[in-house]
Amino acid sequence: MVLSFIVFLSLIVVNVSIDANSLQVDRWSAMEVTIKNIVEGVYPYNKLDHLGQTSSNLPGLSLLGLPFYLLGDVGYLQVFVFGVFGGWIYKSKREKKEKVLILILLVLSPAYWWEVFAKSDLMSNVLLLLIFIDFWKEKYSEFTFRKPWLLGILVGFFCLTRGVVLIPLTIMLFYEFVKTELRKKVLFLLGVVVSMFVLILPILLSLEDFYTIIENNPFNHQTKYAPKLLILLALVVPFFLSREFSASRPILNYSMYVLSGLLLSTFLLNVMEEGASKNIYGKAFDLSYLGMLIPFVISSLSSLNNQILQVKIKG
């Protein structure tokens, strides 16, 4: 708790100290522009942020950032998510050494601090997803679909934050969904549809014409770096990996493998086509996307470390 509190205060200081308009990263302004236009009833995906780019923020991510937009700075989302993450780690059923290790690995990650300084929402989005998976599998380990309506609402929300969340959610849910009874399937799907419809409705109401959404939509940005075949493969593979997990860790590990394959393959293909310099130092590939792997890697490393400690204790 002491470590979490120190980092929490540090995040506030960093966020206050950074002049957002001086950043050459537009994650914060893309979120701000999207929220601002949705609140004002204007279609958001053809409006420009402070770097002259259009937004790729899905409606769920915009809802997540809304309270901090109203506070005057969407960068506080990072502070809030770390507070939630620290509280969840503290309350989780992990060994104390593992809890401290998870926090230390996160705090020592340069990729995480880049996210903080850039006022980015990417890793916060992933951390919240991990908290949800960990919480749900711990609370309903015997039967994931015990509360299908609530589960559907939450899944619908997460699906409209970022497209990559479909990978861990599919691994977590598909196998059990196939096995569960029809009534719960219907309630779950209804929850997903209602949740997504409510989030999308303000954008649909602000839509001027169908051509606008074809030319300007968030999926154009979210899929521009990876080849379509790789994206399709990354979305299909989780269906085959999905099994009846009693805990969240296998889900997170398999998610890490699929995401690593997608991101690293995309990066290597881009390097082969356009050269390393354009992809590392230029704009041919957004290296910060690799940061979404960090929470999965930390979860895997902490789990491995805990297994090694248990073996040593038994030995």
Side-chain angles (χ1 to χ4, degrees), residues 58 81 103 106 118-119 148 158 166-167 178 221 223 226 235 240 257 301:
L58 294 176
V81 171
L103 288 172
L106 183 65
K119 297 178 183 280
F158 275 109
L166 291 170
I167 293 169
V178 172
H221 288 277
T223 60
L235 292 175
F240 296 96
Y257 302 148
L301 287 175

Side-chain angles (χ1 to χ4, degrees), residues 186-254:
V186 172
L187 284 173
F188 170 75
L189 292 175
L190 189 61
V192 172
V193 170
V194 169
S195 178
M196 296 180 78
F197 177 75
V198 169
L199 289 170
I200 294 172
L201 183 60
I203 294 171
L204 293 178
L205 291 176
S206 66
L207 187 62
E208 297 174 2
D209 53 65
F210 188 71
Y211 177 78
T212 302
I213 201 170
I214 295 296
E215 291 296 313
N216 300 281
N217 66 77
F219 299 105
N220 288 343
H221 288 277
Q222 293 206 5
T223 60
K224 71 177 180 180
Y225 290 110
K228 299 297 185 290
L229 182 60
L230 271 180
I231 294 173
L232 181 63
L233 189 63
L235 292 175
V236 170
V237 167
F239 287 96
F240 296 96
L241 294 176
S242 183
R243 293 291 183 272
E244 187 177 1
F245 294 116
S246 60
S248 63
R249 298 187 188 192
I251 299 170
L252 302 182
N253 288 344
Y254 280 117

Side-chain angles (χ1 to χ4, degrees), residues 294-313:
I294 298 296
F296 294 101
V297 172
I298 289 174
S299 173
S300 181
L301 287 175
S302 64
S303 177
L304 179 62
N305 179 73
N306 189 51
Q307 290 172 17
I308 292 171
L309 286 174
Q310 287 179 358
V311 169
K312 287 182 176 179
I313 291 170

Side-chain angles (χ1 to χ4, degrees), residues 10-192:
S10 301
L11 296 184
I12 294 176
V13 171
V14 169
N15 196 69
V16 171
S17 302
I18 297 294
D19 176 12
N21 287 297
S22 69
L23 296 171
Q24 294 303 304
V25 182
D26 63 351
R27 292 253 173 85
W28 71 270
S29 59
M31 175 178 279
E32 190 170 277
V33 164
T34 307
I35 297 171
K36 179 179 182 293
N37 283 285
I38 290 175
V39 169
E40 294 177 355
V42 178
Y43 186 75
Y45 296 117
N46 55 2
K47 302 298 182 291
L48 303 181
D49 59 32
H50 83 293
L51 294 182
Q53 303 293 322
T54 53
S55 172
S56 64
N57 278 210
L58 294 176
L61 190 61
S62 300
L63 179 63
L64 195 59
L66 178 60
F68 310 102
Y69 169 80
L70 296 176
L71 287 173
D73 190 343
V74 293
Y76 284 117
L77 172 63
Q78 287 276 13
V79 183
F80 168 76
V81 171
F82 179 82
V84 174
F85 182 72
W88 171 244
I89 292 299
Y90 176 75
K91 296 291 289 184
S92 67
K93 297 177 181 179
R94 291 175 169 85
E95 295 292 331
K96 188 179 295 184
K97 288 183 179 180
E98 188 181 356
K99 294 177 182 180
V100 175
L101 178 63
I102 289 172
L103 288 172
I104 289 176
L105 288 172
L106 183 65
V107 171
L108 291 181
S109 167
Y112 178 69
W113 286 103
W114 182 90
E115 289 271 324
V116 174
F117 276 82
K119 297 178 183 280
S120 172
D121 52 75
L122 176 58
M123 206 176 294
S124 292
N125 192 170
V126 176
L127 286 173
L128 284 176
L129 177 67
L130 264 62
I131 293 168
F132 164 67
I133 292 173
D134 205 28
F135 167 79
W136 199 270
K137 293 304 290 185
E138 186 175 295
K139 189 172 180 64
Y140 304 110
S141 58
E142 295 180 1
F143 186 46
T144 303
F145 285 85
R146 185 173 298 173
K147 293 190 175 181
W149 170 253
L150 177 60
L151 179 62
I153 290 174
L154 293 172
V155 167
F157 164 75
F158 275 109
C159 285
L160 286 181
T161 55
R162 258 187 180 83
V164 294
V165 307
L166 291 170
I167 293 169
L169 288 176
T170 300
I171 295 173
M172 172 187 173
L173 298 171
F174 176 70
Y175 188 72
E176 279 200 57
F177 175 80
V178 172
K179 293 172 59 179
T180 196
E181 60 184 276
L182 179 61
R183 184 182 68 86
K184 294 194 173 184
K185 285 179 182 177
V186 172
L187 284 173
F188 170 75
L189 292 175
L190 189 61
V192 172

